[in-house]
Amino acid sequence: MQASSRWTSWWRRGGRGRPEAAGADAAARLDLLLGAAGAGFPVAPAAHPAGYRCSCDRVGCPAPAQHPLSFAWQSQATTDAEQVARWLSRDPEANFVTATGRAHDVLDVPAEAGVLALERLEALGTVGPVAAVGADRYLFFTATRGTPQDEDEWWTSALDSTPDTVSEHPGLRWHCRGSYTLVPPAALPDGSEVRWLRGPEHPLPDPLRVLDVLTDACTEVGAVAQEQWLIG
C-alpha cells in the first residue's frame, strides 16, 4: 500500500511538468484502478477513444476503445499497484481491461435486463461488484469457475464469451477463462463511460446464483434473440 500511495500522491501533485488539474484527474483514475487491482482483479492497458475512432488506428476497428493494447494482455494482466501506475503514467488516457477466469468471472447483459437483475439481486443479498458500460450493458462480477486445480473439473458453458465470440451472445455473456472486459474508469468513443454501480470492494457472489436472476431478467425483456440485440 505504501507504493500505491506514493504513486497516487505523485499524480495528485501533477507530476513533473504535468498540469495540476490533469494530475488530479489521473490520480482519481489511478485510485479506481488500484481499487480493482487491490480486490484481486488483474488489469492490463487497453485502447482509448481518439475522437470518434480508436487510438489503435486500425481501420474499421471492431471494438473501438474496448480492446487491450497488446496481444500479450493475458500475460501482462496484473494486480501490482506500481505496474498499474507506470502504465497510467505512460498513457494517462488509456482504458484498462480485466482478465477474467482468474480471480473473477463477469456476467454481461443488456442494460434493460441489468437494471431488473440488480434490483432483485440486491433484495436477495447476492450481488457483488457491478459496472455499467455506457447505457448499453451491465457487467456483474462474480467468483470464478475458470481455474480449477484439476483441469478435468473445468466445465464449459454455452454462454462462455471470449473477445472473438461476443457477437454470438447478444443477450447474456459469461466471461471466464480466456476473456476480458473493460474495468472502470474507461471512456467510450460515443462520449459515455464505464463506471462502477457497486464497487470492487463488495464480495464476489456465486456465479450460478447470479446467473439464475440474470437469465430470468433477460427473458423478461426479450434479450434472448440475436435479431433483437445486435452488437455494434
Side-chain angles (χ1 to χ4, degrees):
M1 290 301 295
Q2 291 181 347
S4 63
S5 298
R6 183 175 72 249
W7 279 100
T8 303
S9 297
W10 184 88
W11 278 113
R12 288 203 175 99
R13 291 195 302 271
R16 182 177 298 174
R18 185 184 302 278
E20 185 173 351
D25 180 67
R29 297 189 69 234
L30 179 59
D31 280 340
L32 285 171
L33 289 169
L34 294 183
F41 302 169
V43 301
H48 62 81
Y52 293 102
R53 299 179 59 188
C54 182
S55 62
C56 72
D57 286 333
R58 176 182 173 186
V59 177
C61 176
Q66 298 185 59
H67 62 83
L69 288 177
S70 171
F71 289 115
W73 61 270
Q74 293 196 65
S75 59
Q76 281 185 336
T78 183
T79 59
D80 181 76
E82 291 205 27
Q83 179 61 63
V84 175
R86 282 193 293 268
W87 279 330
L88 195 61
S89 70
R90 294 170 190 163
D91 187 358
E93 295 184 84
N95 287 339
F96 281 76
V97 295
T98 179
T100 54
R102 300 184 191 179
H104 67 293
D105 288 355
V106 172
L107 291 164
D108 170 1
V109 296
E112 189 178 1
V115 170
L116 288 178
L118 179 55
E119 181 178 346
R120 293 169 184 175
L121 288 167
E122 286 179 332
L124 292 170
T126 58
V127 63
V130 180
V133 182
D136 295 329
R137 299 191 71 89
Y138 274 31
L139 306 177
F140 290 79
F141 289 68
T142 71
T144 185
R145 62 182 176 87
T147 54
Q149 291 184 346
D150 183 350
E151 185 70 14
D152 291 337
E153 293 179 5
W154 188 80
W155 46 276
T156 59
S157 165
L159 298 173
D160 286 349
S161 178
T162 67
D164 295 329
T165 64
V166 291
S167 62
E168 299 171 17
H169 305 288
L172 175 62
R173 306 167 182 165
W174 193 331
H175 298 270
C176 57
R177 188 168 55 180
S179 190
Y180 60 78
T181 64
L182 286 173
V183 64
L188 301 173
D190 64 2
S192 63
E193 61 183 1
V194 182
R195 68 191 189 284
W196 288 116
L197 301 178
R198 285 173 55 90
E201 70 277 7
H202 294 282
L204 294 169
D206 180 86
L208 295 182
R209 297 185 69 185
V210 176
L211 177 64
D212 285 340
V213 176
L214 294 181
T215 300
D216 288 343
C218 285
T219 300
E220 287 183 39
V221 302
V224 292
Q226 185 167 356
E227 59 268 19
Q228 290 174 291
W229 292 97
L230 298 177
I231 304 302

